[in-house]
Amino acid sequence: MSVPSNRRHIVRFKAASMRAGEGRVRALRLDHLREEKGALVCAEGESTATTLPSLTTDIWCVGDRLLAYRASRKTLTVLMNNRMYLVGEEVIRVAEIVESSGAKSIFVICPDGLYLFSNVGVSTTKYDPAPTTTNLVLFHERVIGAAGQQMRYTAPSDIRSWVNYGEQTAGWCDLLPTGGDVVDVVGMRGNVYFLREHGITCLTGYVDVYNFRLEDIPFGMGRIVSHAAVIGEKAYFFTECGLCCFDGSRTERAPGAMDEEIDLSNILRVQMAGERIFAASVGLTDGSQALYLYEPARERGRFVRRNFENFTAGDDIYLMRGTAAYRLTGRALPSGGSCCLTATFALGDLGEGEKRLEGVFLDGKGSFEVEAVGEDGIARSRTGEAGQWIDFPASVRGETVTLRIQSSDVDLSIGEILLRVRREDRV
């Protein structure tokens, strides 16, 4: 005759070290939580940056300068000095180019043309048809752009010479059609890279007709579906496979991206924040919209759950909501919102026998609600405080268990998660 016996295991997870696919962690998602000093804490709050001009429909940022776009008037206003410039009916991108004199010039890329803001007064120069509908990169004193399957460049040290093409002045070159249209242009590692619908083309040399080379780079990550942000010496962008990073020779999935719930057909905008964060306005598979942030230095992606109509990034990240722009700042919760950690843990390596999750312990501070779901789909939840065991009224069964830890406590800090698991044996 057999009699039941059991063994209890305490399984520990350092919160800041948890990564999907590593160890017992099978899946992980952070909503309004970020990493700080070895713990996960409540994410960004916001402060009012400025009141926007009436009828503002979008915002853009160049460095520390915030710009307000009004579609009905086809204008961009630089808010720090209230200079208003005429542009097109739709703004694709705003780029800053540093001239050989050291002056900084603002280019606005629109479908109907390329607009250059004057450094004196509020006039604009329009280049039509648009020499680029993707991006602008400074390369060996020339500005490089691309539209469709064609790259275009200015004369040396003359960022305004887009129209009078000649052998040694401004020029253009058709790209091989196999990669499809250019999605973005990035400069890094001493080269220019054209990110295309189905591949990447590298430009090397000095961009005159006798001294440059175009070379396609092996690429197997499906269709490129977003603009890119260059952080360090890597470009980050979305493909059909999710968030990817490109180091100049190879493209691979970005580690710790946590992007599984992003609807890759609905990437709205991608920008770089403070030269260290990849920021994107994305749609999720549940139909909601969120701000997605990825920090290469931490190899971690996360979601900021704040309502916004548009966002932009430069030295800081700004959200547009109603008639104001808000700057993301320190720890705070959205109005009526919460922060949440969702993780799926695999417990099969604890040995043979049925696994039953009995309780959860958070090493940190703050109050929270924890919900656990086993393989039977039954959810059990309890509320409690960090620093004490939270026991479920009935154990949660399964080789895998999904935990959802949610809190409306702005002081929440999760340093370590402990699971008490009972393993049922038969002797």
Side-chain angles (χ1 to χ4, degrees):
M1 184 179 77
S2 65
V3 294
S5 68
N6 63 76
R7 300 180 185 180
R8 282 182 169 81
H9 302 263
I10 303 297
V11 187
R12 311 173 75 100
F13 301 91
K14 293 287 186 182
S17 301
M18 289 170 56
R19 297 291 188 277
E22 296 183 7
R24 295 187 174 99
V25 183
R26 289 295 174 262
L28 180 66
R29 171 170 164 168
L30 302 180
D31 285 283
H32 215 74
L33 284 170
R34 61 182 173 85
E35 191 174 331
E36 181 182 278
K37 297 180 180 178
L40 295 178
V41 302
C42 180
E44 288 82 358
E46 62 183 29
S47 62
T48 303
T50 186
T51 300
L52 298 171
S54 62
L55 305 178
T56 295
T57 52
D58 203 352
I59 55 175
W60 295 88
C61 192
V62 179
D64 62 350
R65 289 170 289 178
L66 192 61
L67 294 80
Y69 177 64
R70 290 185 280 186
S72 61
R73 299 185 180 183
K74 302 179 187 178
T75 60
L76 263 177
T77 301
V78 182
L79 297 181
M80 66 184 300
N81 55 23
N82 288 320
R83 288 184 174 178
M84 185 186 304
Y85 298 86
L86 290 174
V87 293
E89 293 184 357
E90 177 189 352
V91 175
I92 297 174
R93 207 162 191 171
V94 178
E96 183 179 68
I97 297 295
V98 181
E99 301 187 52
S100 56
S101 64
K104 296 180 179 179
S105 296
I106 294 178
F107 280 99
V108 181
I109 300 172
C110 299
D112 67 329
L114 178 67
Y115 295 80
L116 172 62
F117 288 2
S118 170
N119 287 322
V120 179
V122 291
S123 63
T124 59
T125 301
K126 179 182 178 182
Y127 301 95
D128 181 18
T132 180
T133 56
T134 51
N135 198 13
L136 294 171
V137 171
L138 186 64
F139 181 64
H140 292 301
E141 299 182 343
R142 297 178 189 259
V143 179
I144 310 294
Q149 297 178 19
Q150 188 177 85
M151 61 163 282
R152 297 170 185 170
Y153 51 88
T154 66
S157 304
D158 186 357
I159 67 172
R160 296 164 177 81
S161 61
W162 286 106
V163 291
N164 297 316
Y165 293 114
E167 188 174 87
Q168 294 295 340
T169 57
W172 57 270
C173 179
D174 289 328
L175 304 175
L176 292 175
T178 51
D181 289 347
V182 176
V183 177
D184 202 358
V185 186
V186 299
M188 64 180 196
R189 297 177 179 264
N191 297 318
V192 172
Y193 298 92
F194 300 95
L195 306 184
R196 307 175 66 183
E197 291 174 307
H198 306 289
I200 299 176
T201 301
C202 176
L203 169 69
T204 59
Y206 293 93
V207 199
D208 63 56
V209 293
Y210 306 113
N211 192 16
F212 75 85
R213 182 178 67 181
L214 291 167
E215 179 183 9
D216 289 335
I217 293 175
F219 182 82
M221 304 303 292
R223 186 183 181 91
I224 296 176
V225 298
S226 81
H227 286 157
V230 177
I231 301 174
E233 292 192 321
K234 292 183 178 180
Y236 295 84
F237 50 89
F238 283 106
T239 75
E240 291 176 327
C241 298
L243 183 64
C244 294
C245 59
F246 170 65
D247 64 3
S249 60
R250 185 178 64 173
T251 306
E252 60 186 6
R253 290 278 281 122
M258 287 196 293
D259 56 3
E260 290 78 11
E261 296 182 56
I262 293 177
D263 177 3
L264 296 172
S265 67
N266 192 22
I267 306 300
L268 304 178
R269 181 174 295 176
V270 164
Q271 293 185 331
M272 176 178 63
E275 298 186 351
R276 61 183 181 83
I277 297 176
F278 173 92
S281 174
V282 300
L284 302 182
T285 52
D286 63 5
S288 64
Q289 183 181 348
L291 182 65
Y292 172 78
L293 303 180
Y294 179 81
E295 297 181 75
R298 299 185 186 275
E299 296 187 344
R300 184 187 292 284
R302 56 191 177 88
F303 297 92
V304 173
R305 285 297 192 169
R306 288 194 169 276
N307 293 328
F308 63 96
E309 297 156 23
N310 286 304
F311 101 96
T312 188
D315 292 348
D316 296 294
I317 298 175
Y318 298 89
L319 305 179
M320 173 183 164
R321 186 169 62 250
T323 59
Y326 300 87
R327 180 188 292 108
L328 290 189
T329 57
R331 294 168 61 173
L333 287 168
S335 177
S338 61
C339 48
C340 182
L341 179 153
T342 306
T344 299
F345 301 105
L347 307 174
D349 66 343
L350 296 179
E352 295 184 1
E354 185 180 63
K355 316 302 186 304
R356 299 186 181 187
L357 175 64
E358 295 181 324
V360 175
F361 182 97
L362 294 190
D363 183 9
K365 64 178 181 178
S367 58
F368 61 93
E369 178 185 25
V370 58
E371 178 187 80
V373 181
E375 292 176 337
D376 56 7
I378 298 175
R380 296 176 174 85
S381 62
R382 292 292 302 274
T383 59
E385 299 283 335
Q388 58 184 262
W389 280 100
I390 309 299
D391 294 324
F392 296 105
S395 58
V396 180
R397 302 181 181 188
E399 295 290 303
T400 60
V401 174
T402 298
L403 284 186
R404 187 172 185 266
I405 300 169
Q406 185 169 341
S407 176
S408 298
D409 189 341
V410 70
D411 294 321
L412 180 74
S413 175
I414 306 174
E416 191 173 25
I417 301 172
L418 284 71
L419 309 181
R420 187 173 71 244
V421 181
R422 185 172 81 244
R423 177 167 60 87
E424 301 289 347
D425 294 330
R426 291 288 175 179
V427 298

